[in-house]
Every structure is written in C-alpha cells, then in structure tokens.
Amino acid sequence: MKTTKLYFIALGMITLLFLISCSKDDDNSGNNTKATVENNVQNGTWRITKFIDS
C-alpha cells in the first residue's frame, strides 16, 4: 500500500514537471529560425573538407 502511494506521488510530480516546462511562446520561433538558417547558408563561406567521387 505504501509503495503504491509513493508510485502515484512520483508519477504526479513527473507529470507536473512536464506540464510546467511547456509554454506557448516556444512555438513561434520556427519562422525566425528558418529565415536565419537560410540567410547563413546563402551568405556563408564554405570549404570542402571531404570529397568522394564514386
């Protein structure tokens, strides 16, 4: 009985941790990141470090 109660308390704490760690503002950063990556890829200096011709 004591082990079952401890199991449910631990499960509740883990669930609460997951719910607290999520926020809605994390979803809006996707568009800005994509534009930043595209800009860096187009304007960056590239060096070929390994070329395999097969």
Side-chain angles (χ1 to χ4, degrees):
M1 183 73 175
K2 188 174 183 181
T3 306
T4 306
K5 186 176 180 180
L6 184 62
Y7 174 73
F8 282 118
I9 290 173
L11 183 63
M13 292 179 79
I14 291 171
T15 303
L16 184 63
L17 177 69
F18 281 116
L19 291 174
I20 291 173
S21 65
C22 297
S23 64
K24 290 183 179 183
D25 64 342
D26 292 341
D27 295 336
N28 295 334
S29 64
N31 294 337
N32 189 19
T33 304
K34 181 180 177 185
T36 303
V37 169
E38 287 176 353
N39 190 28
N40 288 340
V41 168
Q42 292 174 359
N43 296 327
T45 303
W46 293 87
R47 179 185 303 171
I48 299 173
T49 57
K50 188 174 185 178
F51 177 76
I52 301 173
D53 186 22
S54 55

